[in-house]
């Protein structure tokens, strides 16, 4: 059911299109000026007979060699300068996700039993957690780190580091194997982990383990929420555009060991039930030779930050409860804020990705309403015509439902997100990569397909990235879904009765 | 025909000129200008002295005499003066049970003062900021501190924010590196870098001596910088970035392990500073200079150095021993040196490595005395001292170097666009400096810390405690 868009939303879209038209005109003004000249030349040529053309050739032959060479040189130099100014393409060579072992599984029965045994939780809190789990859309194979299997969970710096080493190194090892990349050839490294940032940073931990070069450009982003993966991709893109012939390694993860909430506040219990272990390592490059083996090319990244609005800022908030336990509080209007952030994001994304037919249709509808005062409903651009696949951050069932509604997507479009939530839980910034792997494992990724990745995070941020597939991905795909893809998709009931 | 040919040629020429202009403007937009910066001066009720530091140490009941002695020795020898600042909860006696709100308050006091100051000073509106980078190493809540600043100043929704964490005392220059890289792909961008350190959640309550240093050496401070790559702002800007070199030797295990946040044997979290730290620093420093020297020194100096090095090596092979190993003279390419005020030992070590005089290290030593070790933002206090002393003139080059966990050594060379005369936070005290002798005023009175005799120590300790007001 499509909801009526607000007038503000339409206004902002209108302005964007006017700006777009103006940008097109100004950017290609030289082309527009050249067109009449080319037409004149063609007309002239048409008028002039073949003899004149032959005499022209003879005339050109008589020209001084130096004249010809200098003009050719001028053309070559200008072409070189032009090519140097062009932004370099960013290729996704390959990526790898952490494959949790079955012994880290936390099926429903384990979750219920452990909740009851943890001394800090009272009966009310346990019931609440079970209710959330029943409606969460998670399956029985999601995994938590070893420290959280203890009763009560043994959260310390050392165990948090162990989890970080386990997930990150496992993902990077797989990636280096897949791509045949030597660690010393990595030029840039970006690690994002929101809730755990020790000293020395996780990026230095990776440098230490893989013996990367001393001049590797490394950044460690922290506290930026579940959309931090796309922030890292954006930063990697900026770095790759600033340096030639480089490889960037991006590691997205969330370390959940130190963040298990041991209090009674309901709004802060939710992350315990949804967050699960996961990590992804992505290799990006701007080398033109990688174009032949790369899987995807990055087309656009759009970042939207709604922090200026107080409600948006406060909707995902880490704080201490009255007993001194630290946890992340999720506010009730999270979905509404996510919808708003998404609208802002697609207002910027729309003009960049929608095909001309959609944009023209929108323009016509705009003209019809403005000039001819037509009473018809405003035309909402159909994003399904711009993308073949959608990777929506598997933040929770409600998030996926909200987005499906807003973007008018079919069940098949959001299948990757729902199944990832079911199989792996909410792995925060790395969830997008598990979803991408699902689409590949199902054999749906063909050359030329475009993928839209949408991530949401605290702040409140909505970030999205558009990838274009460069080669058809053949099944079977070796990845985290290898052992379970044949069982999917599954029917996920609204409520799984646990009590 | 002739006319057509001429028209075509003219058009081609114009188009190639246009492309060359585009290339030139692209090159220009990759320059990084420092518009201005401010340092944070906490309110005077947050000042601590050696005496009050002693009182704070004494509150930790698990400390024995050796630890007490060690800490007091560290404070007295540190080169830190009597006017440095500490977070509120430590002064109020709640250092062992910090709350989330205390940590946020520490950050808010800094943001609310300094970010507002910088916007007012430069007359740039918050909605003009395109990129925001915050580096606070030891505290990273959700939502990030960048979002906190975006919310307070109602910044635009297409702002690019980056929250860097865990990267240690050299994170300020890492943030500048991030901005510099973004400038290469975006034109006419304004970036804000907010640099500080969080002390509240990181107070160490245990007894491991190698983890207690962070308690006594670090002080509150912070700095905010505005940078741009817009050539139109070149005249307004204070400095232009000439080159930046980052070195991370974390691939070596002993360098990686020398600064580590971990639990001690009793399970209490703290920052372990290992004995291998000075060696790791030297290695990182040498590696950094290797890459930096060719970029900042004039050719004459480099050629002379290569010639002298070749001669030295040849003589060594021959067996002649009385030749001194040649050293690069960094003063040939650099006019002013901003050294990270990490501690007296760090400053001396870097000074020896670069061949600097007392005049060159004066800004760093005086910053350490007045503000203590404010971690990543200390470089900006040092720069502020040089400005207040009217040392920097147009065309002068300023070299900044800092060290961080990992082990990282980052350095930057700036060139001043105009004479720098802003006193900023040094305004009220610059006339007292330079202090010739930064020796702690209590070193004679409490020289018992160096005493080996057990009897005299307990008596002197009683007297000290009485003086401080810990016992009646």
């Amino acid at each position: 059911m499509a909801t009526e868009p607000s007038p503000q939303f339409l206004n902002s879209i209108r302005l964007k299109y006017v700006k777009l038209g103006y940008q097109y005109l100004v950017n290609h003004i030289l082309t527009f000026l050249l067109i009449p000249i080319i037409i004149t030349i063609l007309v002239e040529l048409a008028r002039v007979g073949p003899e004149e053309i032959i005499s022209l050739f003879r005339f050109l032959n008589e020209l001084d060699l130096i004249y010809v060479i200098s003009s050719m040189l001028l053309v070559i130099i200008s072409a070189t300068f032009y090519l140097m100014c062009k932004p370099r393409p960013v290729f996704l060579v390959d990526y790898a996700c952490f494959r949790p072992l079955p012994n880290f599984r936390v099926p429903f029965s384990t979750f219920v039993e452990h909740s009851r045994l943890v001394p800090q939780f009272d009966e009310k809190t346990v019931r609440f957690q079970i209710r959330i789990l029943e409606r969460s859309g998670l399956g029985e194979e999601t995994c938590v780190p070893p420290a959280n299997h203890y009763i009560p969970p043994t959260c310390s710096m050392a165990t948090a580091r162990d989890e970080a080493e386990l997930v990150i190194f496992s993902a990077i090892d797989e990636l280096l194997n897949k791509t045949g990349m030597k660690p010393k050839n990595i030029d840039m490294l970006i690690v994002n982990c929101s809730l755990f940032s020790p000293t020395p940073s996780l990026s230095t931990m990776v440098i230490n383990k893989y013996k990367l070069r001393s001049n590797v450009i490394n950044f460690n982003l922290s506290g930026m929420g579940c959309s931090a993966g796309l922030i890292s991709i954006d930063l990697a893109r900026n770095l790759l555009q600033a340096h030639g012939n480089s490889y960037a390694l991006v590691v997205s993860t969330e370390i959940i060991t130190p963040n298990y909430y041991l209090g009674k506040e309901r709004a802060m219990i939710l992350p315990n039930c949804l967050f699960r272990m996961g990590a992804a390592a992505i290799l990006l490059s701007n080398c033109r030779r990688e174009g032949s083996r790369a899987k995807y090319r990055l087309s656009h990244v759009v970042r939207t930050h709604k922090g200026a609005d107080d409600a948006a800022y406060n909707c995902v908030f880490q704080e201490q409860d009255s007993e001194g336990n630290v946890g992340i509080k999720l506010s009730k209007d999270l979905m509404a804020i996510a919808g708003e952030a998404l609208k802002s994001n697609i207002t910027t994304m729309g003009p960049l990705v929608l095909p001309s037919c959609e944009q023209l249709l929108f323009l016509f509808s705009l003209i019809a309403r403005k000039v001819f005062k037509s009473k018809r409903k405003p035309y909402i651009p159909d994003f399904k015509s711009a993308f073949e696949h959608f990777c929506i951050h598997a933040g929770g069932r409600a998030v996926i439902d909200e987005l499906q509604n807003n973007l008018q997507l079919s069940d098949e479009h959001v299948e990757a997100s729902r199944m990832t939530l079911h199989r792996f839980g909410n792995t925060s910034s790395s969830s997008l990569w598990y979803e991408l792997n699902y689409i590949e494992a199902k054999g749906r990724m063909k050359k030329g397909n475009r993928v839209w990745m949408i991530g949401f995070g605290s702040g409140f941020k909505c970030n999205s990235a558009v990838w274009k597939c460069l080669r058809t991905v053949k099944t079977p795909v070796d990845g985290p879904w290898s052992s379970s893809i044949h069982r999917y998709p599954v029917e996920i009931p609204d409520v799984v009765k646990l009590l | 025909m002739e006319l057509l040919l001429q028209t075509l040629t003219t058009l081609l020429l114009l188009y190639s000129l246009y492309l060359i202009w585009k290339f030139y403007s692209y090159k220009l937009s990759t320059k990084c200008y420092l518009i201005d910066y401010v340092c944070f001066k906490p309110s005077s009720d947050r000042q601590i002295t050696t005496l009050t530091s002693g009182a704070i140490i004494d509150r930790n009941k698990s400390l024995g005499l050796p630890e007490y002695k060690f800490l007091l020795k560290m404070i007295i020898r540190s080169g830190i003066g009597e006017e440095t600042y500490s977070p509120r909860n430590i002064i109020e006696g709640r250092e062992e049970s910090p709350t989330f709100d205390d940590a946020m308050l520490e950050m808010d006091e800094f943001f609310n003062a300094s970010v507002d100051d910088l916007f007012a000073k430069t007359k740039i509106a918050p909605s003009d900021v395109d990129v925001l980078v915050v580096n606070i190493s030891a505290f990273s809540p959700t939502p990030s501190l960048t979002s906190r600043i975006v919310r307070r100043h109602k910044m635009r929704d297409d702002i690019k924010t980056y929250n860097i964490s865990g990267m240690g005392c050299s994170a300020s220059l890492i943030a500048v590196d991030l901005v510099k890289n973004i400038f290469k792909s975006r034109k006419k961008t304004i970036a804000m870098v907010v640099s500080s350190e969080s002390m509240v959640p990181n107070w160490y309550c245990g007894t491991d001596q190698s983890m207690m240093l962070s308690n006594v050496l670090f002080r509150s401070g912070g700095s905010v910088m505005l940078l741009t790559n817009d050539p139109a702002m070149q005249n307004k800007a204070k400095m232009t970035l000439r080159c930046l070199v980052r070195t991370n030797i974390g691939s070596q295990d002993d360098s990686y392990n020398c600064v580590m946040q971990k639990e001690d044997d009793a399970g209490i979290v703290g920052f372990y500073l290992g004995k291998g730290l000075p060696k790791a620093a030297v290695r990182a420093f040498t590696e950094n200079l290797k890459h930096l020297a060719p970029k900042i020194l004039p050719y004459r100096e480099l050629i002379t150095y290569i010639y002298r090095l070749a001669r030295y090596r040849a003589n060594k092979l021959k067996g002649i021993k009385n030749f001194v190993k040649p050293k690069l003279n960094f003063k040939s390419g650099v006019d002013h040196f901003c050294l990270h005020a990490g501690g007296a030992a760090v400053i001396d070590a870097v000074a020896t490595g670069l061949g600097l005089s007392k005049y060159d290290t004066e800004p760093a030593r005086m910053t350490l005395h007045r503000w203590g070790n404010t971690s990543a933002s200390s470089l900006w206090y040092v720069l502020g001292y040089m400005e207040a002393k009217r040392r920097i003139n147009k065309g002068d080059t300023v070299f900044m170097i800092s060290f961080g966990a990992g082990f990282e050594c980052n350095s930057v060379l700036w060139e001043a666009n105009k004479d720098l005369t802003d006193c900023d936070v040094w305004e009220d005290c610059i006339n007292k400096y330079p202090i010739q002798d930064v020796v702690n005023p209590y070193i004679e009175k409490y020289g018992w810390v160096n005493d080996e005799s057990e009897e005299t120590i307990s008596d002197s300790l009683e007297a000290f405690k009485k003086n401080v007001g810990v016992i009646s």
Side-chain angles (χ1 to χ4, degrees):
Chain A
M1 276 285 276
T3 45
E4 194 65 41
S6 66
Q8 241 174 332
F9 177 48
L10 292 171
N11 266 330
S12 58
I13 280 197
R14 245 172 258 155
L15 206 64
K16 283 259 164 24
Y17 282 109
V18 167
K19 264 170 92 171
L20 189 79
Y22 174 69
Q23 274 172 9
Y24 270 168
L25 186 70
V26 170
N27 284 343
H28 299 103
I29 192 116
L30 276 168
T31 325
F32 290 146
L33 284 175
L34 273 172
I35 288 172
I37 294 166
I38 292 169
I39 293 172
T40 332
I41 295 169
L42 285 171
V43 162
E44 179 80 17
L45 276 172
R47 264 196 318 118
V48 159
E51 286 155 358
E52 277 271 356
I53 294 173
I54 291 166
S55 73
L56 175 70
F57 273 119
R58 273 200 225 114
F59 170 71
L60 282 173
N61 269 331
E62 287 158 21
L63 280 175
D64 278 327
L65 193 66
I66 195 141
Y67 186 76
V68 174
I69 288 179
S70 52
S71 24
M72 266 172 53
L73 210 67
L74 202 67
V75 172
I76 293 168
I77 291 171
S78 327
T80 322
F81 278 156
Y82 175 70
L83 283 173
M84 281 169 81
C85 283
K86 247 170 75 124
R88 299 185 180 92
V90 174
F91 298 115
L92 191 156
V93 179
D94 212 338
Y95 68 97
C97 299
F98 166 67
R99 296 192 219 194
L101 292 173
N103 57 313
F104 296 137
R105 271 188 324 131
V106 58
F108 297 146
S109 49
T110 313
F111 189 90
V112 172
E113 189 182 336
H114 282 215
S115 301
R116 291 218 160 97
L117 291 170
V118 169
Q120 287 92 333
F121 294 146
D122 58 8
E123 186 56 32
K124 263 181 82 179
T125 315
V126 173
R127 277 184 187 280
F128 184 70
Q129 288 195 61
I130 295 170
R131 268 191 58 220
I132 297 173
L133 196 64
E134 287 175 347
R135 289 158 181 76
S136 63
L138 262 69
E140 302 247 38
E141 291 178 273
T142 61
C143 296
V144 292
N148 287 20
H149 284 278
Y150 283 80
I151 302 165
T154 56
C155 308
S156 67
M157 199 92 202
T159 49
R161 277 224 166 88
D162 287 339
E163 184 197 342
E165 289 181 2
L166 172 68
V167 300
I168 294 176
F169 295 165
S170 157
I172 297 179
D173 283 339
E174 196 181 319
L175 180 67
L176 294 178
N177 265 337
K178 264 189 184 178
T179 54
M181 183 78 187
K182 288 196 177 56
K184 63 174 168 58
N185 293 335
I186 295 174
D187 303 291
M188 297 142 189
L189 170 68
I190 301 166
V191 177
N192 71 273
C193 171
S194 197
L195 299 166
F196 178 56
S197 102
T199 300
S201 57
L202 294 174
S203 59
T204 312
M205 187 177 83
V206 172
I207 292 174
N208 175 255
K209 165 82 177 174
Y210 294 95
K211 311 288 175 232
L212 302 184
R213 298 195 318 259
S214 67
N215 63 344
V216 66
I217 302 172
N218 65 312
F219 295 105
N220 189 75
L221 302 176
S222 186
M224 306 199 82
C226 301
S227 63
L230 294 178
I231 296 176
S232 306
I233 298 284
D234 184 38
L235 180 59
R237 182 182 64 143
N238 278 316
L239 293 176
L240 287 171
Q241 283 173 345
H243 302 266
N245 285 343
S246 314
Y247 289 88
L249 176 63
V250 174
V251 180
S252 287
T253 183
E254 194 55 77
I255 303 302
I256 56 180
T257 301
N259 300 300
Y260 198 78
Y261 176 64
L262 288 168
K264 299 187 181 65
E265 274 278 327
R266 284 193 168 190
M268 292 160 104
I269 281 276
L270 209 69
N272 281 7
C273 310
L274 297 178
F275 279 92
R276 297 291 183 262
M277 203 161 64
I282 305 110
L283 186 66
L284 301 169
S285 174
N286 61 0
C287 298
R288 291 193 203 274
R289 65 169 178 273
E290 291 293 346
S292 52
R293 74 159 168 159
K295 267 188 175 169
Y296 301 93
R297 194 183 50 149
L298 183 62
S299 301
H300 306 281
V301 178
V302 174
R303 289 175 59 179
T304 311
H305 198 304
K306 290 308 225 177
D309 173 38
D310 281 342
Y313 175 74
N314 286 313
C315 76
V316 178
F317 206 85
Q318 187 178 30
E319 59 182 33
Q320 247 172 337
D321 67 7
S322 48
E323 290 171 6
N325 298 304
V326 176
I328 298 173
K329 191 163 87 168
L330 302 172
S331 99
K332 290 196 167 62
D333 38 348
L334 181 62
M335 287 307 121
I337 290 166
E340 278 303 311
L342 178 71
K343 282 189 181 128
S344 287
N345 193 290
I346 64 180
T347 331
T348 317
M349 182 59 93
L352 295 173
V353 296
L354 286 171
S356 345
C357 54
E358 284 293 315
Q359 295 186 12
L360 269 171
L361 273 173
F362 183 81
L363 197 67
F364 287 156
S365 133
L366 196 70
I367 293 170
R369 285 177 61 243
K370 277 281 165 177
V371 176
F372 301 115
K373 308 284 182 205
S374 157
K375 291 289 176 197
R376 289 220 296 206
K377 272 204 309 205
Y379 181 72
I380 313 280
D382 184 12
F383 281 91
K384 296 195 284 290
S385 61
F387 304 108
E388 280 76 35
H389 306 289
F390 295 80
C391 287
I392 300 166
H393 166 53
R397 196 180 206 152
V399 173
I400 302 173
D401 289 341
E402 173 79 15
L403 257 80
Q404 185 177 11
N405 194 12
N406 263 325
L407 297 172
Q408 295 165 40
L409 301 176
S410 70
D411 285 339
E412 204 193 310
H413 286 125
V414 295
E415 186 186 304
S417 311
R418 288 202 199 281
M419 296 308 122
T420 300
L421 182 65
H422 186 266
R423 171 67 180 84
F424 295 101
N426 179 353
T427 58
S428 186
S429 43
S430 50
S431 64
L432 297 167
W433 301 100
Y434 285 98
E435 292 170 28
L436 189 67
N437 201 261
Y438 178 87
I439 300 171
E440 290 184 0
K442 278 287 180 193
R444 294 178 190 163
M445 192 60 77
K446 306 268 182 280
K447 180 173 173 173
N449 280 173
R450 287 152 304 173
V451 186
W452 191 15
M453 282 189 170
I454 310 172
F456 294 99
S458 62
F460 195 80
K461 299 190 255 296
C462 175
N463 301 327
S464 58
V466 179
W467 301 91
K468 184 160 177 180
C469 181
L470 297 176
R471 55 180 174 86
T472 303
V473 180
K474 295 195 184 71
T475 51
V477 167
D478 188 27
W481 288 97
S482 304
S483 55
S484 43
I485 193 68
H486 55 280
R487 284 186 268 121
Y488 282 86
V490 294
E491 185 64 42
I492 305 173
D494 281 341
V495 179
V496 176
K497 267 289 165 212
L498 293 176
L499 279 176
Chain B
M1 221 14 57
E2 276 279 344
L3 190 66
L4 202 65
L5 207 65
Q6 278 171 359
T7 329
L8 270 172
T9 326
T10 335
L11 272 172
L12 211 66
L13 196 75
L14 284 172
Y15 196 60
S16 31
L17 283 172
Y18 163 74
L19 284 174
I20 292 169
W21 169 77
K22 221 178 149 192
F23 177 73
Y24 175 71
S25 72
Y26 159 79
K27 275 282 166 198
L28 212 66
S29 71
T30 60
K31 276 194 182 259
C32 177
Y33 304 108
L34 176 75
I35 301 174
D36 208 342
Y37 67 97
V38 293
C39 295
F40 176 49
K41 184 177 174 191
S43 55
S44 48
D45 55 349
R46 285 172 62 177
Q47 274 187 334
I48 55 167
T49 62
T50 307
L51 283 180
T52 46
S53 303
I56 294 167
I57 297 167
D58 192 68
R59 283 204 283 261
N60 185 349
K61 297 300 165 215
S62 53
L63 288 181
L65 191 59
E67 286 86 35
Y68 202 92
K69 199 172 124 175
F70 170 74
L71 283 175
L72 222 45
K73 212 191 312 200
M74 283 298 119
I75 295 173
I76 287 172
R77 270 209 242 145
S78 63
I80 296 176
E82 303 297 305
E83 290 177 303
T84 57
Y85 302 90
S86 188
R88 271 184 211 285
N89 72 320
I90 292 173
I91 292 173
E92 288 167 10
R94 293 181 290 111
E95 67 273 4
E96 300 205 350
S97 51
T99 63
F100 211 77
D101 289 336
D102 287 329
M104 279 302 198
L105 178 69
E106 186 192 7
M107 293 294 105
D108 279 339
E109 278 189 59
F110 162 52
F111 295 155
N112 297 350
S114 297
V115 177
D116 289 2
D117 268 348
L118 189 59
F119 280 134
K121 213 172 159 192
T122 55
K123 298 194 181 32
I124 287 172
S127 54
D128 291 335
V129 177
D130 304 295
V131 177
L132 174 65
V133 184
V134 173
N135 70 277
I136 284 160
S137 196
F139 178 54
S140 121
T142 297
S144 61
L145 295 166
T146 49
S147 300
R148 209 170 174 82
I149 297 174
V150 167
R151 173 222 197 184
R152 183 154 192 270
H153 295 275
K154 307 278 180 255
M155 293 178 167
R156 297 196 321 258
D157 65 356
D158 63 346
I159 190 170
K160 304 247 181 188
T161 56
Y162 299 96
N163 191 69
I164 297 176
S165 191
M167 303 199 84
C169 296
S170 64
S172 186
L173 296 184
I174 294 174
V176 172
D177 184 36
L178 197 157
V179 166
K180 177 181 146 234
N181 278 302
I182 292 179
F183 280 170
K184 287 189 181 163
S185 46
R186 277 180 70 140
K187 289 203 181 141
K188 299 207 176 147
T189 310
I190 293 180
M192 173 174 265
V193 174
V194 179
S195 183
S196 182
E197 189 55 88
S198 167
M199 292 172 60
V200 169
N202 300 300
W203 184 264
Y204 176 62
C205 316
T207 54
D208 188 337
Q209 283 191 6
S210 53
M211 292 195 183
M212 289 197 275
L213 275 173
S214 54
N215 282 3
V216 300
L217 293 179
F218 287 100
R219 296 290 185 272
S220 294
S223 62
V224 184
M225 293 79 85
L226 270 174
L227 300 121
T228 185
N229 66 346
D230 188 353
M233 296 188 113
Q234 194 178 2
N235 294 326
K236 195 176 166 184
K238 275 188 171 173
M239 300 203 286
T240 307
L241 190 120
R242 282 259 299 267
C243 85
L244 192 151
V245 175
R246 284 179 61 184
T247 308
N248 186 319
I249 55 167
S251 55
Q252 298 165 15
D253 284 338
D254 37 9
S255 306
Y256 176 68
N257 290 314
C258 68
V259 178
M260 178 81 61
Q261 188 181 17
K262 61 182 186 185
E263 276 114 2
D264 64 8
D265 296 331
I268 303 172
V269 178
F271 285 88
Y272 165 77
L273 299 170
K275 295 208 163 48
L277 204 155
K279 278 213 182 95
V282 165
R283 274 200 298 266
F285 187 36
T286 321
E287 188 67 34
N288 189 288
L289 289 182
K290 252 198 270 184
H291 294 281
L292 184 73
K295 292 187 185 171
I296 66 170
L297 294 176
Y299 288 121
R300 200 175 57 180
E301 177 65 31
L302 290 169
I303 292 168
T304 324
Y305 174 73
I306 293 169
Y307 167 71
R308 281 206 203 117
L309 192 68
R311 216 172 59 164
Y312 168 79
R313 290 232 174 99
N315 283 325
K316 210 172 158 190
L317 277 172
K318 283 189 205 156
I320 303 170
K321 290 214 172 110
N322 50 354
F323 274 97
V324 171
K325 185 158 186 203
K327 274 177 116 173
L328 275 169
N329 178 16
F330 277 88
K331 292 216 209 173
S332 59
V334 179
D335 299 310
H336 308 283
F337 292 84
C338 264
L339 311 177
H340 168 54
V346 173
I347 299 174
D348 289 336
V350 176
T352 320
L354 294 174
L356 304 181
S357 65
K358 257 194 133 174
Y359 177 79
D360 295 318
T361 57
E362 181 192 305
R365 283 181 290 112
M366 297 307 118
T367 300
L368 184 64
H369 185 268
R370 172 66 180 86
W371 304 95
N373 179 354
T374 58
S375 184
S377 50
S378 65
L379 290 169
W380 303 96
Y381 286 96
V382 178
L383 183 66
Y385 180 90
M386 289 184 197
E387 266 199 66
K389 283 284 183 194
R390 308 276 196 274
R391 283 190 183 195
I392 305 177
N393 299 313
K394 181 172 175 173
D396 282 357
T397 47
V398 180
F399 177 66
M400 283 186 172
I401 186 159
S402 68
F403 300 93
F407 206 79
E408 280 221 31
C409 174
N410 303 324
S411 54
V412 171
L413 187 73
W414 299 95
E415 185 180 329
N417 287 357
K418 49 186 175 179
D419 292 352
L420 302 181
T421 55
D422 194 2
C423 286
D424 194 33
V425 287
W426 288 95
E427 195 155 0
D428 56 349
C429 57
I430 194 66
N431 295 319
K432 281 196 292 180
Y433 288 94
I435 294 179
Q436 295 310 326
D437 209 350
V438 293
V439 173
N440 192 292
Y442 300 101
I443 198 162
E444 281 170 16
K445 209 168 175 188
Y446 303 113
W448 57 265
V449 289
N450 296 314
D451 222 325
E452 289 305 320
S453 157
E454 281 293 323
E455 301 95 52
T456 33
I457 278 180
S458 30
D459 285 336
S460 310
L461 185 54
E462 287 292 312
F464 178 81
K465 283 187 182 179
K466 266 206 187 115
N467 210 335
V468 158
V470 168
I471 54 173
S472 55

